[in-house]
Amino acid sequence: MQDGVVENFSAAMLEPYLDPCGCPGDNRGLSMVEPALLREAAVRLDAEGFQIHFHALGDRAVREALDSLEAAVAANGHTGNRHHLAHLQVVHRDDIARFRPLRATANIQPLWAAHEPAMDDLTLPFLGKVRGALQYPFGALHAAGVTLAAGSDWFVSSPDPMHGIHVAVNRQVWPEELGEPEPRPPFLPHQRLTLTDALAAYTAGSAWVNHQDEAGVLAPGRLADIAVLDQDPFAVDPGELHAVRCVRTYVGGVRVHTVD
């Protein structure tokens, strides 16, 4: 847990948060683990075979986590541990290209990458225009060849993968979810993922980060861990992806869930 969250100014930032008047203050958030100790711990944990999951939400926390993995690789080489950084709300542009050489997975929560009350009222005013444009850079990470693993961060937000996939593709929350008549504008639409890439992050990417190499892909010889949807997501309007429902689930070929 390397930092907190932007909404209460505890996410670790390289530059200070803005005050209500739009001026820089003196708060850069919290590094929960002192960076030198984090590097020391990462080197030892990696050497002992532990896979490290970093909560890294602000750009300073992301950089500190990557610095610690850089130290681990320098000391131990690539050990096969699939370390991952979760949330990645603000990522400095200089750090996007560091993920792949370090074999760090981007553990993303796409549902948050949209204009909604927490973003528009509690985040953007205190990050400012330049830094606000660095949020949830899924498209840039994918373009840099970074492995994406997607999840929900339940119970903070909806556990329904199709809700997250909807926002990953549209960078919008559907208006009914917000109780509004029209959708808000897409949030940084150039950071969209394609539907194929979003589905892969929720399946193959999540299997990868969990070392489940026999799962995550529909192919001969792989585990028959299968979700059956009520409609083809590639055939529906992208704005309706949130309405696609899982009707059956199989684990190892055995049906474990059915919606009648």
Side-chain angles (χ1 to χ4, degrees):
M1 187 79 178
Q2 187 54 16
D3 67 343
V5 297
V6 170
E7 289 83 358
N8 67 3
F9 314 120
S10 60
M13 309 302 298
L14 293 168
E15 299 297 332
Y17 289 95
L18 305 183
D19 63 23
C21 297
C23 301
D26 58 3
N27 177 23
R28 290 179 168 85
L30 303 174
S31 292
M32 302 293 190
V33 181
E34 197 278 327
L37 177 58
L38 186 67
R39 291 192 296 272
E40 179 184 343
V43 169
R44 183 169 178 182
L45 288 166
D46 179 63
E48 296 286 348
F50 286 92
Q51 179 165 296
I52 307 171
H53 174 141
F54 298 89
H55 169 115
L57 203 143
D59 53 7
R60 191 176 83 240
V62 172
R63 182 165 293 179
E64 290 167 352
L66 292 172
D67 288 348
S68 73
L69 291 182
E70 192 170 69
V73 171
N76 306 324
H78 287 292
T79 59
N81 294 318
R82 297 173 186 177
H83 308 303
H84 48 121
L85 282 66
H87 307 325
L88 304 175
Q89 180 167 353
V90 183
V91 183
H92 193 282
R93 291 185 178 92
D94 292 347
D95 290 320
I96 297 286
R98 299 179 66 196
F99 279 75
R100 185 175 181 181
L102 296 172
R103 303 182 187 176
T105 296
N107 177 343
I108 62 173
Q109 287 65 51
L111 188 62
W112 303 341
H115 284 292
E116 41 78 35
M119 174 64 72
D120 291 344
D121 301 335
L122 302 177
T123 300
L124 288 171
F126 304 101
L127 291 181
K129 184 176 181 180
V130 173
R131 193 166 41 185
L134 302 178
Q135 294 187 83
Y136 302 116
F138 307 148
L141 287 163
H142 181 265
V146 180
T147 298
L148 303 182
S152 67
D153 204 41
W154 169 257
F155 52 95
V156 173
S157 54
S158 168
D160 190 330
M162 294 310 302
H163 291 178
I165 288 168
H166 177 104
V167 179
V169 171
N170 295 286
R171 302 289 287 205
Q172 290 173 305
V173 177
W174 53 107
E176 297 86 351
E177 178 71 8
L178 300 177
E180 298 176 353
E182 299 291 336
R184 298 188 183 195
F187 180 65
L188 305 177
H190 61 286
Q191 295 293 355
R192 287 180 172 124
L193 295 176
T194 67
L195 177 56
T196 297
D197 293 334
L199 285 166
Y202 274 93
T203 53
S206 295
W208 162 261
V209 83
N210 283 295
H211 291 265
Q212 295 180 345
D213 295 337
E214 71 284 7
V217 175
L218 294 175
R222 299 294 188 101
L223 284 179
D225 292 350
I226 301 167
V228 181
L229 306 179
D230 66 349
Q231 53 190 316
D232 179 357
F234 290 94
V236 305
D237 185 292
E240 297 299 322
L241 282 168
H242 67 278
V244 176
R245 292 288 177 262
C246 177
V247 294
R248 287 190 297 280
T249 306
Y250 296 82
V251 177
V254 177
R255 188 169 64 187
V256 296
H257 169 74
T258 302
V259 175
D260 295 326

